[in-house]
Amino acid sequence: MKRLVLIGFIGLVMAILGGCRLDEWREVSFSLPDHPNEEKIRKMLAILDTQTPPEIFIHNKKITIRYNSLRVSSKNFEYVLNNLDNE
């Protein structure tokens, strides 16, 4: 009986510790438009996830975004970057 309780307790602890992820950080890179407005780009991308804001690095016509993939998709960033001129 004690062995069964111990096995059940170990299983419960493993399920609690391994069953839930809160953050999954990934990086994605895109090329920038010809005349990028860096401030506007940063503002528009930050709106996509206000709880865990993405980290944005801009260098030589290339933007790298480090983001929480459990909250926002890379396609969201791609959409915003492709439609900056429309807003």
Side-chain angles (χ1 to χ4, degrees):
M1 182 69 174
K2 288 182 182 181
R3 183 176 286 170
L4 185 60
V5 171
L6 180 61
I7 291 172
F9 178 74
I10 291 172
L12 178 66
V13 169
M14 289 178 65
I16 290 171
L17 293 178
C20 181
R21 295 181 303 178
L22 299 176
D23 292 330
E24 174 83 23
W25 291 93
R26 295 185 183 179
E27 282 189 9
V28 66
S29 295
F30 300 102
S31 59
L32 286 174
D34 291 335
H35 304 287
N37 181 345
E38 290 186 21
E39 187 61 34
K40 183 177 181 180
I41 290 172
R42 290 180 190 279
K43 186 192 313 184
M44 296 300 292
L45 295 178
I47 289 172
L48 294 174
D49 184 5
T50 57
Q51 291 183 350
T52 55
E55 297 173 7
I56 300 164
F57 307 100
I58 298 175
H59 185 67
N60 290 341
K61 296 238 179 207
K62 188 172 185 179
I63 183 168
T64 302
I65 306 165
R66 185 173 183 271
Y67 66 99
N68 183 355
S69 66
L70 295 180
R71 301 198 41 85
V72 66
S73 169
S74 64
K75 288 291 183 183
N76 298 112
F77 298 119
E78 185 177 350
Y79 178 81
V80 167
L81 290 172
N82 288 334
N83 294 295
L84 277 174
D85 295 332
N86 298 339
E87 298 178 18

